[in-house]
Amino acid sequence: MSSALFVVSEYGYWGEECIEPLTTLSDAGLDITVATPTGEPPVLDERSVDPDEVGEDLSEHVREVHETDERLNNPIPLAQADADDYDTVVFPGGHGAEWDITQDTHARELLRESVAGDDGKALVVCHTVGILAFTRDSDGEFLVDGRSVTGFPNAWEEGIVDENDLLPDGRKLPYWVEDEVKAAGADWDAELDADTSITVDGDLITARGPPSSAEAARTLLDELGIETSA
């Protein structure tokens, strides 16, 4: 049985970006483990389950899975996770990841190891694509240098933060994903004219944001060589 590790934020993950891949990979038969920095259950960004923002159906679905899924409610600490134990590592998005996942040395190690060999693959979604700005390969070079990626674009961030880079909840955005990842040498294209944006570069798969989550999961399954009935 193929397996996947989900690395999820305790500072606020975006519901659709975690739950869509989680359910898609589960339905495909993957054995899934969830990890968070401390081993405490991940925190759901309440904006991602606001019916006025995401619709009632998606809101109800995300909240139900968040509250009842045993894997989400009983994660392991990141320090106990080893990329070699999984076929793929998935990094769901959400602003919260900028405070913990992208800054976590164990998360970076998992990303590095999952794309270093011939077997592993990584899917990185939305704001968590920012981890590429801080992850170096075994030679000390930025992992993303020269790679094609997509992720949460500045054009979208401008519509969320105020003139002081404050989010609606009052937190100051630590950095803008597009700026930092491009500065690390990425070939960045968020495909703003497209409904979804998924980029595959070797064993690294990146996704732009919430509407791309389900397609990103299907792309990952295809890259893993796992056939689905859908």
Side-chain angles (χ1 to χ4, degrees), residues 170-183:
R171 294 183 294 180
K172 184 180 185 298
L173 194 69
Y175 60 86
W176 290 42
V177 173
E178 179 178 341
D179 290 342
E180 295 298 327
V181 175
K182 287 167 65 174

Side-chain angles (χ1 to χ4, degrees), residues 17 24 31 49 81 93-94 101 110 126-127 130 144-145 158 164 173 179 181 184 186 190 197 204 214 228:
E17 294 172 352
T24 298
D31 181 29
V49 286
I101 302 302
L110 286 165
C126 196
H127 279 89
V144 77
D145 189 19
E158 290 171 355
N164 297 314
L173 194 69
D179 290 342
V181 175
S197 177
L204 176 65
T228 64

Side-chain angles (χ1 to χ4, degrees), residues 2-187:
S2 297
S3 59
L5 177 70
F6 275 63
V7 178
V8 191
S9 175
E10 295 173 54
Y11 278 72
Y13 75 86
W14 194 265
E16 183 177 0
E17 294 172 352
C18 177
I19 303 307
E20 283 293 335
L22 184 72
T23 55
T24 298
L25 269 58
S26 293
D27 290 345
L30 274 73
D31 181 29
I32 295 175
T33 300
V34 174
T36 61
T38 72
E40 290 296 314
V43 173
L44 178 63
D45 187 327
E46 287 298 320
R47 290 189 302 124
S48 72
V49 286
D50 181 350
D52 292 335
E53 181 159 350
V54 302
E56 290 188 5
D57 290 344
L58 180 58
S59 173
E60 292 177 1
H61 172 61
V62 167
R63 192 176 290 281
E64 179 183 5
V65 176
H66 171 77
E67 294 176 352
T68 63
D69 192 285
E70 293 183 3
R71 299 162 298 185
L72 283 171
N73 286 283
N74 189 30
I76 65 172
L78 275 178
Q80 294 183 11
D82 186 338
D84 289 339
D85 293 336
Y86 305 93
D87 296 293
T88 184
V89 182
V90 179
F91 297 81
H95 278 98
E98 294 200 11
W99 281 273
D100 60 356
I101 302 302
T102 68
Q103 306 302 312
D104 191 290
T105 184
H106 295 105
R108 297 178 198 172
E109 181 180 3
L110 286 165
L111 175 60
R112 178 170 58 250
E113 295 302 318
S114 64
V115 301
D118 297 327
D119 298 328
K121 296 185 184 297
L123 168 60
V124 192
V125 183
C126 196
H127 279 89
T128 313
V129 171
I131 195 173
L132 294 167
F134 308 102
T135 304
R136 296 179 182 270
D137 61 22
S138 59
D139 296 322
E141 303 298 325
F142 283 114
L143 182 68
V144 77
D145 189 19
R147 288 181 181 266
S148 297
V149 300
T150 186
F152 198 82
N154 287 351
W156 289 8
E157 201 74 85
E158 290 171 355
I160 298 174
V161 299
D162 67 11
E163 66 276 10
N164 297 314
D165 280 0
L166 297 182
L167 291 163
D169 63 11
R171 294 183 294 180
K172 184 180 185 298
L173 194 69
Y175 60 86
W176 290 42
V177 173
E178 179 178 341
D179 290 342
E180 295 298 327
V181 175
K182 287 167 65 174
D187 178 10

